[in-house]
Amino acid sequence: TLALVATKQMHPIKGAAYAVAQCLGSILASALIMGTSGLTTNTMGGANMMSGPDDTKVVHAFISEMLLTGVLVLTVFATIDPSREDTHLGPMAIGFSVGIAHLVNVPITGCGI
């Protein structure tokens, strides 16, 4: 959403509304999962490669998140490019991009792309 607003492909007001809706949706979905699974904030902590004292882990996590978010943004821009033929496979390409990012980054950071 931020990338679409920054490249003037979406009006800033609409982008802000999307961002608010995305945040509210993620909060409600998390609450729903926690409620139906009987989880609490004390039982939500997971182990990943970020656990531990090594200071370079933060840099590795930042770089992996940045690169995989870049892949997702490039995939979205490639699928909405008006000069390309519409093959109706854009959602599949975006889904694959998100899936691959999760396969790579869930063990590292929990994947926050």
Side-chain angles (χ1 to χ4, degrees), residues 1-11 68-87 89-91 93-95 97-98:
T1 303
L2 180 60
L4 290 172
V5 171
T7 58
K8 298 182 180 174
Q9 295 185 29
M10 179 184 285
H11 192 274
L68 292 171
T69 299
V71 168
L72 175 60
V73 169
L74 287 174
T75 304
V76 169
F77 279 135
T79 59
I80 65 169
D81 184 4
S83 67
R84 296 176 57 102
E85 178 184 349
D86 186 12
T87 62
L89 295 175
I94 293 168
S97 175
V98 169

Side-chain angles (χ1 to χ4, degrees), residues 1-85:
T1 303
L2 180 60
L4 290 172
V5 171
T7 58
K8 298 182 180 174
Q9 295 185 29
M10 179 184 285
H11 192 274
I13 300 295
K14 188 175 183 180
Y18 270 57
V20 169
Q22 291 165 352
C23 290
L24 290 175
S26 67
I27 291 168
L28 291 173
S30 296
L32 180 67
I33 290 171
M34 286 180 70
T36 57
S37 303
L39 298 171
T40 66
T41 54
N42 294 331
T43 60
M44 289 290 289
N48 58 35
M49 295 175 85
M50 287 296 298
S51 302
D54 190 4
D55 291 338
T56 61
K57 291 179 182 180
V58 173
V59 174
H60 295 150
F62 180 80
I63 291 171
S64 68
E65 287 286 342
M66 185 179 66
L67 289 175
L68 292 171
T69 299
V71 168
L72 175 60
V73 169
L74 287 174
T75 304
V76 169
F77 279 135
T79 59
I80 65 169
D81 184 4
S83 67
R84 296 176 57 102
E85 178 184 349

